[in-house]
Amino acid sequence: MKRINLITIVSPKDERAETAERLLSDEIRKYKIPASIRMKSGISHLTETDGEWLIVICTENTPGDEDILKCISDFKERGLFDHILTLLVSGEPSESFPENLFHEKLSDGTVVEHEPLAADVRSSTVIGMRKLLKVEKLRIFAPIAGCAFDDLMNRKRRRKMRILLASACAALLGATIFLYFAIFRMRTVSAQNVLLNEQYELTENSFKATEQKRNEAEKDVTRFIATEALEVLETGDTETALLLCLERMGEYETEELWDAFNTALSDICKKGYVPVCKYDDYKGRMQEEENVSYEDAFPGDIYIDMPAFCDGYEEGSLIRLQKNSISGKGECGLYYGKLTIDGKDRYVLYAYFPGNPERGYFLRDSFGEYAYAFNTFFLKDDSVLLADDVDLRRFDLFYGEGGKEIPLFEDGNDNGWPGYKSSTSKRFTACDGADLLLFADGRKIYVFSQTPFRYLYCLDDDYIKNPKGSPPGFTVAMCDDGNVYMSFRSRYEFAVYDLLTGQFMNTVDTVGVTPGTHSAFSSDGYLLIATGSGCIIWDPESACAVGTVPYTGSYIDNCSWCGELSEDTGIRGSEAVYTGKIVYRKNSEEIPVPSDRGGQVELAKKLLGNRELTGRQKLLYHLE
């Protein structure tokens, strides 16, 4: 819980929520209320509000947090229900909002149903959360400052657009009025025989002047759209820039519009990887492979009766257990929790069966001790590996009523398995296509086959044994040609290995640029690595870079392939790349641009797949 004057922020005890709480409190302290709002409210900073406010950080763990529920109930009892605000960090609203936010009891005893509205900053990374918070924070600040969300959002851009549109509308209105005057004048002079010819000529000239002013007003709108298209193009969204230009082609087109159109068309026709569109717009057109998911059957937390062997056991009391991993067939899951046994706190594992919850039990090893490990992995036969502080152990969770520990290797042959050194950075990574399982302990990477489960070999060269730089990580993929590659980041560089032979292949030359932590293999065997100035595409076979993907903006440490999905490998090809927020498409050769404008428009429509601006986009750019 954090308190900033009369503003209280509460969050559950998990890393994502605590990060959001820290970022939001920083934004509250440094945010200055705009002058236009300050004149109305009389306060210059959010901390000067004269009323109490409660901000609830919502994740899947929030509904079960007693402290948060108590804070909400206290505000409701004091009649401050409308002073409770929410920030959604993870999960769906139905599973992340506390139940008592959906109901309010009025002074006359009636109960009012509410649908809580939240600022939404759900993202898989802290960077993504921070970027979403730049806008979503205004949904929280607006009620505290006593104004509407729109009063705080995009004031400068809306003012510029209102001025331009008002000028255009004024010109159109003046032209329309003048047109009516001209028509009226024409009817009047038609009755005057003596001056008929002279007045008719004057009216005709007036009518032409009116039409000219109307055309100029429409062209002003077109010039504004051309400016908007260039601004969109600077973000890398080439397709939207082309669509904006095509929307105004025809009667009211201008040279400025053609300049913007030609710039966008030239960019999208260049050889190599060219910026195409925003990734959010591209996702809807990607045909994702449908995978069976069993996650819905396994809640994030479960509550079971307090075990009789725990200290402080009281009949009817419940303990909370958190999800660790689930089996590949979705029939069993492991949950972990902390219990007090014989006066000592210890972590334990609980086997949970969603189809038969009464079958659940606390996992014990062959000595009858409670088994525990943060790092667990279900093999394809649904037996589970536990990597604890001593060694790997293997359990059959479906044996009898309480499972049992089974030999680590099915045939009893350990094939020289050396065991591992205890480390806090233990990690399992599977490569299902090649039936391989990798286990890293911070200094070595052990390679196993899954069916049957056997130890194959160990990678422990100088790159893996003595990693330097940021925390080491590795990526594994099986390609369409059957090769299985692993990239390992160490010493501010990436090393590539052939996992079928266990041999080191080469290191990636990043041309003097420090690489980021993210890498990905494509189905056709290329390695994509993010750096501070773009992405490098590396061919492990030839040990050389075969392309780069530049991007604009600040340092972005994420990238992935988003080309055609391979049914054999389940990963995507190198025809397209996603980095930052933009998708880049690969042009093997430069696309010839016709010299005539008609041919250029036809080419643009072909590249766009004859798509048009959506209704939402037209409203966004004031075309409707």
Side-chain angles (χ1 to χ4, degrees):
M1 176 186 294
K2 287 190 178 181
R3 189 173 181 87
I4 307 172
N5 287 8
L6 297 179
I7 301 174
T8 303
I9 307 175
V10 294
S11 67
K13 295 179 177 60
D14 63 62
E15 182 178 354
R16 188 178 294 274
E18 291 173 353
T19 299
E21 181 184 59
R22 173 175 55 79
L23 294 175
L24 180 60
S25 61
D26 290 343
E27 293 291 342
I28 291 175
R29 290 189 176 92
K30 68 183 182 182
Y31 185 75
K32 294 182 179 179
I33 297 176
S36 59
I37 306 303
R38 189 162 60 244
M39 293 176 63
K40 297 178 182 179
S41 63
I43 61 175
S44 61
H45 197 276
L46 294 175
T47 58
E48 298 176 7
T49 178
D50 58 358
E52 291 190 56
W53 293 85
L54 177 65
I55 302 174
V56 181
I57 308 296
C58 295
T59 70
E60 296 90 336
N61 298 325
T62 300
D65 194 304
E66 296 296 334
D67 293 336
I68 294 177
L69 299 180
K70 185 177 182 301
C71 286
I72 295 174
S73 298
D74 178 61
F75 263 65
K76 291 173 66 176
E77 291 173 358
R78 289 190 289 146
L80 297 176
F81 188 86
D82 58 348
H83 278 219
I84 302 175
L85 308 173
T86 54
L87 181 67
L88 185 60
V89 175
S90 66
E92 295 301 320
S94 60
E95 63 183 3
S96 299
F97 285 151
E99 183 65 25
N100 57 357
L101 282 181
F102 292 93
H103 313 285
E104 178 188 9
K105 187 175 183 180
L106 303 181
S107 58
D108 60 359
T110 60
V111 176
V112 179
E113 300 291 333
H114 289 280
E115 183 176 350
L117 297 177
D120 189 345
V121 295
R122 289 176 290 179
S123 176
S124 59
T125 65
V126 175
I127 293 176
M129 184 190 300
R130 183 180 288 111
K131 290 182 178 179
L132 289 173
L133 190 62
K134 289 184 180 296
V135 173
E136 292 297 312
K137 67 183 180 184
L138 301 182
R139 302 190 189 278
I140 294 177
F141 295 172
I144 298 177
C147 64
F149 170 73
D150 285 344
D151 292 336
L152 300 181
M153 182 65 182
N154 291 335
R155 298 182 305 280
K156 181 177 180 181
R157 182 175 180 179
R158 291 203 309 273
R159 178 175 176 271
K160 173 184 174 183
M161 188 168 293
R162 284 198 301 270
I163 292 174
L164 183 57
L165 291 179
S167 299
C169 291
L172 287 172
L173 179 59
T176 303
I177 293 173
F178 200 82
L179 178 61
Y180 279 113
F181 169 77
I183 295 172
F184 175 79
R185 183 66 175 169
M186 183 182 296
R187 290 177 177 176
T188 301
V189 298
S190 65
Q192 301 177 4
N193 297 326
V194 177
L195 301 175
L196 180 60
N197 293 332
E198 181 181 349
Q199 294 298 328
Y200 182 82
E201 183 179 355
L202 177 62
T203 302
E204 186 177 15
N205 292 336
S206 298
F207 184 81
K208 290 180 179 179
T210 301
E211 286 295 313
Q212 184 178 358
K213 290 182 179 180
R214 181 186 182 91
N215 290 340
E216 285 300 320
E218 288 286 358
K219 288 184 177 181
D220 283 342
V221 174
T222 299
R223 293 186 185 98
F224 175 76
I225 295 300
T227 302
E228 288 283 286
L230 289 174
E231 291 180 359
V232 169
L233 187 60
E234 289 180 359
T235 69
D237 193 355
T238 313
E239 290 187 343
T240 299
L242 284 173
L243 288 170
L244 283 171
C245 293
L246 290 173
E247 188 72 18
R248 296 296 293 181
M249 291 293 186
E251 184 177 0
Y252 301 112
E253 64 190 38
T254 64
E255 289 303 317
E256 293 87 349
L257 186 72
W258 276 105
D259 289 343
F261 174 78
N262 286 327
T263 301
L265 185 60
S266 174
D267 284 354
I268 206 171
C269 289
K270 292 178 180 177
K271 181 179 179 179
Y273 284 90
V274 296
V276 176
C277 63
K278 294 180 180 178
Y279 182 62
D280 289 341
D281 296 336
Y282 189 72
K283 282 192 296 186
R285 305 198 297 268
M286 292 171 60
Q287 296 180 349
E288 297 288 355
E289 183 182 61
E290 294 185 2
N291 295 316
V292 178
S293 174
Y294 305 102
E295 290 290 338
D296 293 342
F298 293 86
D301 298 334
I302 60 174
Y303 295 84
I304 65 170
D305 293 333
M306 175 74 78
F309 56 77
C310 288
D311 294 351
Y313 164 74
E314 182 177 345
E315 187 173 356
S317 59
L318 302 176
I319 63 168
R320 172 190 174 196
L321 299 168
Q322 296 175 276
K323 183 168 60 178
N324 183 289
S325 59
I326 62 177
S327 67
K329 299 177 182 178
E331 297 179 357
C332 180
L334 281 178
Y335 285 70
Y336 73 91
K338 185 169 68 174
L339 303 179
T340 302
I341 305 173
D342 298 331
K344 296 181 179 180
D345 289 339
R346 66 178 65 181
Y347 282 98
V348 293
L349 285 172
Y350 185 84
Y352 172 71
F353 300 85
N356 184 14
E358 291 76 14
R359 185 182 177 184
Y361 57 84
F362 288 97
L363 190 62
R364 295 175 184 260
D365 60 20
S366 56
F367 299 100
E369 298 292 332
Y370 295 102
Y372 180 73
F374 276 112
N375 307 91
T376 63
F377 183 83
F378 278 91
L379 294 170
K380 290 184 177 181
D381 64 358
D382 267 359
S383 64
V384 66
L385 296 175
L386 272 61
D388 56 23
D389 292 335
V390 179
D391 203 351
L392 284 182
R393 292 189 289 174
R394 187 178 178 191
F395 290 80
D396 180 358
L397 302 182
F398 298 89
Y399 182 85
E401 296 183 355
K404 72 171 182 177
E405 185 173 4
I406 60 177
L408 183 60
F409 301 105
E410 295 177 6
D411 55 8
N413 179 13
D414 62 12
N415 198 27
W417 161 242
Y420 66 87
K421 182 179 180 181
S422 176
S423 168
T424 58
S425 60
K426 296 184 285 291
R427 170 185 169 188
F428 288 105
T429 299
C431 184
D432 293 334
D435 198 37
L436 295 179
L437 175 65
L438 279 67
F439 175 71
D441 70 350
R443 289 292 181 269
K444 297 179 181 180
I445 296 178
Y446 306 92
V447 182
F448 302 87
S449 65
Q450 281 208 58
T451 50
F453 182 64
R454 289 178 180 172
Y455 170 67
L456 300 179
Y457 59 86
C458 172
L459 297 173
D460 60 349
D461 61 14
D462 193 43
Y463 289 102
I464 297 174
K465 189 162 38 179
N466 299 301
K468 297 179 181 179
S470 59
F474 57 92
T475 301
V476 180
M478 178 181 178
C479 305
D480 286 326
D481 59 5
N483 286 321
V484 184
Y485 296 129
M486 180 187 79
S487 67
F488 183 86
R489 187 184 190 279
S490 173
R491 300 179 177 179
Y492 301 105
E493 63 183 346
F494 279 84
V496 182
Y497 297 81
D498 181 347
L499 292 186
L500 294 182
T501 63
Q503 298 298 312
F504 165 81
M505 297 180 66
N506 49 66
T507 57
V508 179
D509 182 4
T510 57
V511 197
V513 179
T514 301
T517 58
H518 193 83
S519 66
F521 282 103
S522 67
S523 60
D524 42 356
Y526 294 114
L527 175 62
L528 180 70
I529 297 175
T531 74
S533 60
C535 291
I536 293 174
I537 301 173
W538 185 260
D539 181 3
E541 293 291 338
S542 63
C544 64
V546 295
T548 59
V549 184
Y551 52 70
T552 58
S554 58
Y555 185 91
I556 301 176
D557 186 20
N558 66 331
C559 60
S560 63
W561 301 104
C562 54
E564 183 178 351
L565 182 68
S566 169
E567 296 182 358
D568 295 329
T569 64
I571 56 179
R572 294 191 172 273
S574 59
E575 301 91 351
V577 174
Y578 155 58
T579 176
K581 295 182 178 180
I582 298 296
V583 169
Y584 293 77
R585 185 188 65 214
K586 182 180 180 181
N587 290 335
S588 300
E589 298 293 339
E590 183 173 351
I591 301 175
V593 178
S595 57
D596 63 295
R597 290 185 171 183
Q600 293 168 4
V601 170
E602 289 302 317
L603 174 60
K605 290 181 178 180
K606 180 180 178 181
L607 294 174
L608 292 168
N610 290 315
R611 293 194 310 278
E612 296 180 350
L613 288 174
T614 64
R616 181 182 63 83
Q617 289 174 317
K618 289 182 178 180
L619 289 174
L620 177 65
Y621 295 105
H622 301 275
L623 290 171
E624 284 190 350

